Structures are given as C-alpha cells and as structure tokens.
Amino acid sequence: MKTEREFAAIILAAGKGTRMKSTLHKVLHPIAGRPMLMHLLDSLAELEIQRTVVVVGDKREQLDAALAKSDITTALQEPQLGTAHAALQAREELAGFTGNILVCFGDCPMVKAATVRKLVAALDDGAKVAVLGFRPNDPLQYGRIIADRDGRVAKMVEYKDATEDERACDLCNSGLIIAHSDDMWALLDGVGNDNAQGEYYLPDVATGAIARGDRVAVVETDAAEVAGINSRAELAAAEAQWQDDQRDYWMSEGVTLRAPETVFFSYDTRLAADVTIDPNVVFGPGVTIASGAHIKSFCHLEGATIGEDCSVGPYARLRPGAIMGKNSFVGNFVEMKKAVLGEGAKASHLSYLGDAEIGANANIGAGTITCNYDGYFKYKTVIGERAFIGSNSSLIAPVTIGADAIVGAGSAVSRDVGAGDLRVVRGEQSVKPGWADRFHDAMKKKKAAEKND
C-alpha cells in the first residue's frame, strides 16, 4: 500500500542500554538471528518510506557500521536530554522533507507495518497527531493516555507526573507518534522540560497539539507488539514471542511441527507446504526446504537448501552451502558444508562431506570423510553418479571419483578413480599366528608379579 503523502521515519536509538550489560549496542542484539533494529526496519520498508534517520549516541560507530550499506542516515544526540530532544536531532537530515513523520524506538522491533498504516489513517481522518497505545496486564510505570471512547486524546502524562486517578487508567503510551512535518517540528520545538525528570518528553508533542486545539487520536494495539527490550530477560521474552508467532504461521502454511515448542526458526527460514519437522530442530539463517522433506530430531541447519522429498537426520548438521537434491538422504551424525548431494544420493551415517559435489544416486558409506583442507587452502571432491564409497574411506581432495566407480572400505584415496573402476587403498594385512595369546599370557604374568611385590 502506498501512502498518499511522503513518509519518513525517525528511529530513536541513542540510549546507553545499561541494563543489557553488553559491549554490543542494545538495538543490535539479535532476535532469530537478526538485530532487533533490522526487524523494525524490515517492517517499515513495507510502507515505502522515503527517508529514515536513526538517532544515535552511545556506541554510534556500531550503528554506523550496521547501516553502512543502506540509504539510512544517522544523527547524533549529544547530550541526551530526552526523547523529544532526540527526535529534534533528525531535523537536519530531513531538511526539505515534506510529509508524515513517524517517531519510534529502535528497541521495539515487533511493530507491524499494518499498525503504522492505522496511525497514518488517523491523520488522514483529520487528526494532527496520532499516537499508539496499548493495555498491558500490568501498567507498571508506563506513561498514560487519557482518551474518550472515540479515541480522541485529552491528555498524555508520564507516570511520575500523573495523579492517582490518571495512574488508574490502563491505556498506556507505546512511544510511537506520527504527525505531518509541518506540525511535527513546530510541536517538538515547543516541548519544555518542566517535569519530574527535567527532560524533553516526546509525548509532549501530543500535549502541545491538544493545547492549541488540535485533535490528537490514539490507535490501540496489542501489548506484545510494542514491548520494549531493555534487558536480557526481555530479549529472551521477545525471542520466545517471535518463535511462537513463526510456529503458528508455518503450521497455518501446511508445515507439520510434531513438537512446535521445540523447533526454532531464523528470521529468513523458508518452508514449503508438506514439510515435516520432528522435535528439537534448530534453523540458522539461510535455510530453504522444499515440499515433502522430512527434518528429523536434533538437526541443526544453516545456509542449506533442501530439495523435495529429502530426509535429514536425526542428529545431522548442515552448514552453509549444503544443497540436497530431490529425494536425497543424510542420516545420523552426517555433516555437510559447501557440498551438493545429487538427486537420490545418500550418506546414511557418520560422515563429513565438505567442499564436495556428489552425483545422483551415489552412496556414501559410514565413516567417509572428504579431506578438503591442508591447513592453508580448501579443495574439492567430485563423486560421480551411482558411485559407491565404502565405509571408513578418506577422499583426499582434490580428487574425482568417476560414475559407477567403487571405493573399497577403509581406503585413503588421493588420486582420481576412473568411471566404473574399483579402487582399494589399504596396507597389506600381516597375520602372526598365536601372537595375541602369547602377548596376553606375558602381560597377565607381569601384572601378577607386580601385585605380589
């Protein structure tokens, strides 16, 4: 949906985030493998926002680095005198911009584009300012919004400045606020700091609009959507909420989760209908799974592409660059990294396949490894269609095994094997009749002698 007016966003992220007790900026802490700030930016991107400014302060260099490849700019708040003061720091970056301006917080990553559209609609309906409210189970020390049944705001007040009657109101301020640029800058300039904290509060934008007779509207949303993240516990709660939402979403899309609460997704996991996922599976970033695939228990997948009707695990690990063709199979304790398993190929157990290309219907025996690293460089192993690699084989790259070739169990292969050839590379067996019996007898006598001393 394209808004009728131009649209800009100011994201406040200048706080020190001391409760996180971290050297990493608060808004860069990840949810489902993606920094919380990026979750918010992804939502805002759906609104076709023309310009976005992130207001920074503490650890500015981290945010500048995180945003370096985008067209998002930053503005410094120093000193930090409150949220209204922070929003004003974006004025220079938005010089010449005319349109709606949304001010929101970088530590509220769950805000949805659909909710912001409701705020925009409130402006289109005649409000000069629109704010986002919510009703938490415990209002705690949130600022309050005093409004009538039609959503017209009479007053906004911080908890520390509220009367007992105002604190009894359960409609709380999320901090999100929107107004046209013609109103936003004037109202921000008019915010004072005559309050218990001596700070310039963003909600006073609404207070100033009410004082001059403008209509201020409140839009309500669910508390979970606007939950701020200020501590590790709140970060864990946000992660849990995000994962719950994703589980519900994927099941609604036709994915079977046998124990939903034990499956963990990444922000970019992509699953087709009729995928089945057993308990205790973790998806890192970059996983795509086609229809009919079955991911068994205790698997960890990252950067992997799984084809139709594949079977993975249990206890398999697929690392970045792992690609499984249709109807291929990896079993327990198989690890793949930058390896392609062709259609119908299988590695049933206890194998490492790295930097490898494995042809259709090839069979990789238990304990097989591709020796792809010499301490300095990586090398590739190529295994042809229908090749059979015997158990406990070491394929020392770079090496090519031809189609229909057989590598005997226990072989260490360092030279190419032709199509249809058999290669067996083993040390010659030596048999010494009776040697083991004589060894055991000698050791038992020695142990008995030591015991009697």
Side-chain angles (χ1 to χ4, degrees):
M1 169 183 173
K2 185 173 178 61
T3 55
E4 293 183 1
R5 297 175 177 174
E6 297 291 287
F7 198 1
I10 301 172
I11 300 174
L12 307 187
K16 295 184 181 298
T18 54
R19 289 170 57 193
M20 296 297 282
K21 293 182 170 61
S22 177
T23 57
L24 181 66
H25 195 291
K26 178 174 68 171
V27 301
L28 296 181
H29 280 263
I31 297 171
R34 187 163 176 77
M36 67 174 85
L37 174 62
M38 302 309 175
H39 281 275
L40 176 60
L41 291 173
D42 286 346
S43 292
L44 296 182
E46 298 178 33
L47 301 166
E48 300 184 23
I49 288 182
Q50 283 72 44
R51 296 166 74 173
T52 302
V53 182
V54 178
V55 180
V56 299
D58 188 54
K59 302 182 181 71
R60 175 182 187 170
E61 69 285 352
Q62 294 183 10
L63 289 172
D64 284 340
L67 298 169
K69 295 182 180 180
S70 72
D71 58 359
I72 296 168
T73 57
T74 60
L76 179 65
Q77 184 194 23
E78 186 61 45
Q80 294 169 19
L81 303 177
T83 50
H85 176 259
L88 272 172
Q89 308 315 301
R91 177 154 51 187
E92 183 176 345
E93 293 294 331
L94 293 178
F97 173 81
T98 301
N100 293 329
I101 298 177
L102 170 73
V103 183
C104 57
F105 293 89
D107 62 2
C108 291
M110 303 301 186
V111 174
K112 298 180 176 64
T115 301
V116 178
R117 289 191 181 103
K118 293 177 182 178
L119 291 171
V120 174
L123 296 187
D124 292 339
D125 287 341
K128 285 291 187 179
V129 175
V131 297
L132 188 62
F134 66 107
R135 299 181 189 272
N137 292 330
D138 186 349
L140 300 171
Q141 296 189 12
Y142 290 110
R144 302 300 203 263
I145 301 174
I146 312 301
D148 63 22
R149 292 183 179 180
D150 295 327
R152 181 163 187 151
V153 178
K155 185 178 182 181
M156 293 183 67
V157 59
E158 293 295 322
Y159 179 85
K160 292 179 180 179
D161 301 307
T163 66
E164 288 302 315
D165 286 344
E166 289 168 343
R167 290 178 180 180
C169 171
D170 67 347
L171 181 57
C172 296
N173 178 29
S174 71
L176 273 76
I177 190 166
I178 189 169
H180 191 273
S181 56
D182 292 345
D183 298 303
M184 181 65 81
W185 300 124
L187 291 167
L188 283 169
D189 282 332
V191 172
N193 66 343
D194 184 16
N195 52 62
Q197 291 294 102
E199 293 188 357
Y200 298 88
Y201 289 138
L202 186 60
D204 284 344
V205 166
T207 302
I210 293 168
R212 69 185 194 185
D214 295 333
R215 183 159 73 86
V216 175
V218 60
V219 171
E220 292 193 40
T221 191
D222 184 80
E225 184 179 355
V226 292
I229 299 174
N230 297 292
S231 67
R232 305 285 182 151
E234 290 172 351
L235 181 66
E239 176 81 33
Q241 180 62 53
W242 191 94
Q243 294 292 344
D244 280 344
D245 291 346
Q246 285 296 295
R247 293 162 188 149
D248 289 344
Y249 171 77
W250 286 120
M251 288 189 288
S252 74
E253 292 293 301
V255 175
T256 295
L257 304 181
R258 297 198 189 282
E261 69 281 2
T262 70
V263 177
F264 293 85
F265 298 102
S266 181
Y267 70 95
D268 61 351
T269 306
R270 295 292 178 263
L271 309 175
D274 290 322
V275 168
T276 298
I277 303 174
D278 287 352
N280 300 297
V281 172
V282 175
F283 295 100
V287 176
T288 300
I289 304 180
S291 179
H294 185 183
I295 313 301
K296 299 180 180 179
S297 294
F298 300 102
C299 290
H300 188 286
L301 291 76
E302 179 177 357
T305 301
I306 314 301
E308 293 181 12
D309 301 318
C310 289
S311 180
V312 180
Y315 293 99
R317 184 183 181 198
L318 271 57
R319 294 167 57 194
I323 300 173
M324 295 180 62
K326 181 179 180 180
N327 203 36
S328 60
F329 168 73
V330 295
N332 51 291
F333 303 105
V334 173
E335 180 178 354
M336 290 179 64
K337 189 276 299 181
K338 201 176 180 182
V340 178
L341 199 61
E343 181 174 346
K346 59 183 179 180
S348 297
H349 34 219
L350 302 165
S351 295
Y352 170 69
L353 306 173
D355 295 276
E357 182 179 321
I358 300 162
N361 297 305
N363 183 87
I364 309 299
T368 294
I369 62 172
T370 58
C371 307
N372 58 331
Y373 184 51
D374 66 1
Y376 295 93
F377 301 101
K378 298 287 183 70
Y379 302 94
K380 188 175 183 179
T381 298
V382 178
I383 300 173
E385 296 182 356
R386 299 174 302 280
F388 183 95
I389 311 299
S391 297
N392 201 35
S393 293
S394 298
L395 308 180
I396 304 168
V399 68
T400 297
I401 312 298
D404 299 301
I406 295 175
V407 173
S411 295
V413 180
S414 58
R415 291 181 294 170
D416 291 352
V417 180
D421 288 354
L422 167 67
R423 178 68 57 85
V424 181
V425 187
R426 304 174 186 152
E428 186 176 347
Q429 291 191 38
S430 176
V431 179
K432 297 182 179 181
W435 186 93
D437 288 337
R438 293 192 296 273
F439 173 78
H440 292 313
D441 288 343
M443 293 300 103
K444 288 175 182 177
K445 290 176 183 178
K446 182 177 180 180
K447 189 171 184 178
E450 290 178 352
K451 186 176 180 179
N452 292 331
D453 284 346

